[in-house]
C-alpha cells in the first residue's frame, strides 16, 4: 500500500524574471539558472515551459526544464510557493533553453 503522505515531486530549473513596462515578464539581466521543487503545499499546477511560479520569497521564476524528482531526494531542494497563469515568451528564453 502506498504511503498516503507522499506527493508527486518534480524538479524545475528556472530563471528569475521581472515585469517589463508592458507588464509582461522577461528574464532579469544576467540571470542564472537555479532549481526548485514542488512541495506539499505548492498551490496551482505546472502547465508548460516558460510558465512563471513564485518562490517562497515571492520572486517570479520562469521554468526552463522539468524532471521527475525522487520523493526521498526532495529535501535537497527548495520548494516553490505557487504557480501563476503568467507565461514568458519562449523567444525570450532561447539563451537558456
Amino acid at each position: 500500500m502506498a504511503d498516503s503522505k507522499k506527493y508527486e515531486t518534480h524538479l524545475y530549473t528556472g530563471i528569475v524574471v521581472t515585469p517589463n513596462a508592458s507588464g509582461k515578464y522577461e528574464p532579469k539581466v544576467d540571470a542564472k539558472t537555479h532549481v526548485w521543487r514542488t512541495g506539499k503545499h505548492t498551490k496551482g499546477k505546472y502547465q508548460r515551459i516558460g510558465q512563471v511560479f513564485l518562490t517562497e520569497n515571492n520572486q517570479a521564476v520562469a521554468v526552463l526544464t522539468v524532471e521527475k524528482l525522487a520523493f526521498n531526494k526532495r529535501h535537497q531542494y527548495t520548494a516553490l510557493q505557487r504557480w501563476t497563469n503568467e507565461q514568458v515568451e519562449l523567444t525570450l528564453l532561447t539563451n537558456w533553453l
Side-chain angles (χ1 to χ4, degrees), residues 53-95:
F53 66 82
L54 296 179
T55 68
E56 291 179 340
N57 296 329
N58 286 320
Q59 276 190 314
V61 175
V63 175
L64 299 172
T65 64
V66 58
E67 58 189 277
K68 284 271 233 189
L69 176 64
F71 188 78
N72 63 343
K73 305 278 188 205
R74 71 191 187 284
H75 292 297
Q76 297 175 25
Y77 304 97
T78 303
L80 62 96
Q81 179 183 11
R82 72 178 180 90
W83 291 101
T84 72
N85 291 325
E86 300 294 329
Q87 178 78 22
V88 174
E89 293 180 34
L90 294 181
T91 55
L92 298 176
L93 300 176
T94 55
N95 289 343

Side-chain angles (χ1 to χ4, degrees), residues 15-18 25-31 62 88-89 92-93 96:
I15 55 170
V16 175
V17 293
T18 57
Y25 283 98
E26 57 186 34
K28 275 184 113 170
V29 177
D30 299 327
V88 174
E89 293 180 34
L92 298 176
L93 300 176
W96 293 275

